[in-house]
Amino acid sequence: MTESLSERLRDRVSRAEDPSQRDALTLDLVFALCQEGELSEASELLQQLKSPVRSRRPEVLIRALIAEGVNQYYSGAIEVGFDRASRAKALASAAQHFGLVFEASVWMGQIGFNSGRYGELPRLMKIARGNVEYCESASLARLLLLIADLMQYVCGFSEARRWYELARKLAQHRHNWGLLAAIEYNRFAIGVSRLRFRKFCLSAPEDNE
């Protein structure tokens, strides 16, 4: 089997000589580990990034806050995860780091969708769309998955299919097996949910009053 994204990133982190590049790669690794379920290792790396041994650039600290939110989300602390990502988005916006605004908004959208915060989604999708030119492929793949999930939930799989395919292609290109697993799971789980709801509606007794 082809090595995973986290395996590739571990190698790149170990070979990085520039501290700023190592920080950026470490954060990429944290996101990959969270999506692969390696939450303890991800938490340890985040603690290292927060260490006061040396000062770090603001964008590193902001992205670490997004990563902390993602880690909390995958750990089951959904409200904490959403809060961390929301704080990071506010900081990124103030600092005009638009790529981080995009990344934080996409994760807030994903967490919001999966936790029933549907009222937040139009605003977050609008913010993400407004900053899409600054995004990287990892965040774009996550946005495509969110669009696919929304399309399937509202319109059905036929409308969502091409969005899932686009997300899958980007995930495969990055060897992001964690995201590929999420794509398959979401596609199945949302489809089953829609079928159950439709069955319930068809079997519900009519109100003759």
Side-chain angles (χ1 to χ4, degrees):
M1 183 178 178
T2 308
E3 64 182 350
S4 67
L5 178 59
S6 62
E7 290 169 333
R8 289 188 167 208
L9 288 168
R10 281 193 190 96
D11 179 62
R12 293 183 65 189
V13 169
S14 68
R15 291 187 287 107
E17 297 181 359
D18 178 69
S20 296
Q21 183 188 30
R22 191 183 307 118
D23 286 345
L25 290 169
T26 299
L27 281 168
D28 287 341
L29 177 57
V30 169
F31 281 99
L33 289 169
C34 288
Q35 293 175 85
E36 293 172 13
E38 302 293 339
L39 302 177
S40 295
E41 184 180 353
S43 295
E44 290 174 8
L45 290 174
L46 281 172
Q47 289 303 314
Q48 292 174 22
L49 284 169
K50 292 179 181 179
S51 170
V53 172
R54 65 178 179 85
S55 60
R56 289 182 165 85
R57 294 184 303 176
E59 57 266 35
V60 171
L61 298 176
I62 294 171
R63 193 162 187 242
L65 191 56
I66 301 173
E68 183 182 348
V70 172
N71 185 267
Q72 292 286 345
Y73 163 63
Y74 280 110
S75 299
I78 295 172
E79 293 299 322
V80 177
F82 190 90
D83 175 71
R84 296 294 186 276
S86 179
R87 291 185 189 183
K89 183 178 75 66
L91 291 170
S93 181
Q96 296 189 331
H97 288 301
F98 301 117
L100 294 177
V101 172
F102 178 90
E103 187 170 17
S105 297
V106 168
W107 276 109
M108 287 176 68
Q110 189 76 75
I111 296 170
F113 176 78
N114 291 334
S115 60
R117 288 174 172 262
Y118 303 123
E120 303 270 4
L121 294 176
R123 178 179 63 87
L124 292 170
M125 294 293 284
K126 184 178 181 180
I127 293 171
R129 186 180 63 186
N131 292 278
V132 71
E133 64 183 287
Y134 304 100
C135 78
E136 297 182 355
S137 60
S139 298
L140 181 58
R142 179 63 58 173
L143 174 64
L144 292 170
L145 173 57
L146 177 57
I147 293 172
D149 289 344
L150 286 167
M151 293 297 290
Q152 183 175 200
Y153 192 76
V154 175
C155 306
F157 180 69
S158 60
E159 297 295 327
R161 185 195 304 270
R162 69 188 183 100
W163 297 102
Y164 281 123
E165 287 301 319
L166 289 170
R168 182 183 293 108
K169 286 179 180 178
L170 271 178
Q172 287 174 335
H173 178 70
R174 289 181 52 84
H175 298 263
N176 192 338
W177 309 140
L179 183 54
L180 282 169
I183 291 169
E184 294 306 316
Y185 175 83
N186 288 16
R187 187 172 72 168
F188 175 78
I190 295 171
V192 169
S193 179
R194 277 180 55 84
L195 285 173
R196 286 176 175 170
F197 181 71
R198 186 164 182 257
K199 184 177 180 180
F200 169 79
C201 290
L202 290 173
S203 61
E206 294 183 6
D207 187 356
N208 295 319
E209 294 182 7

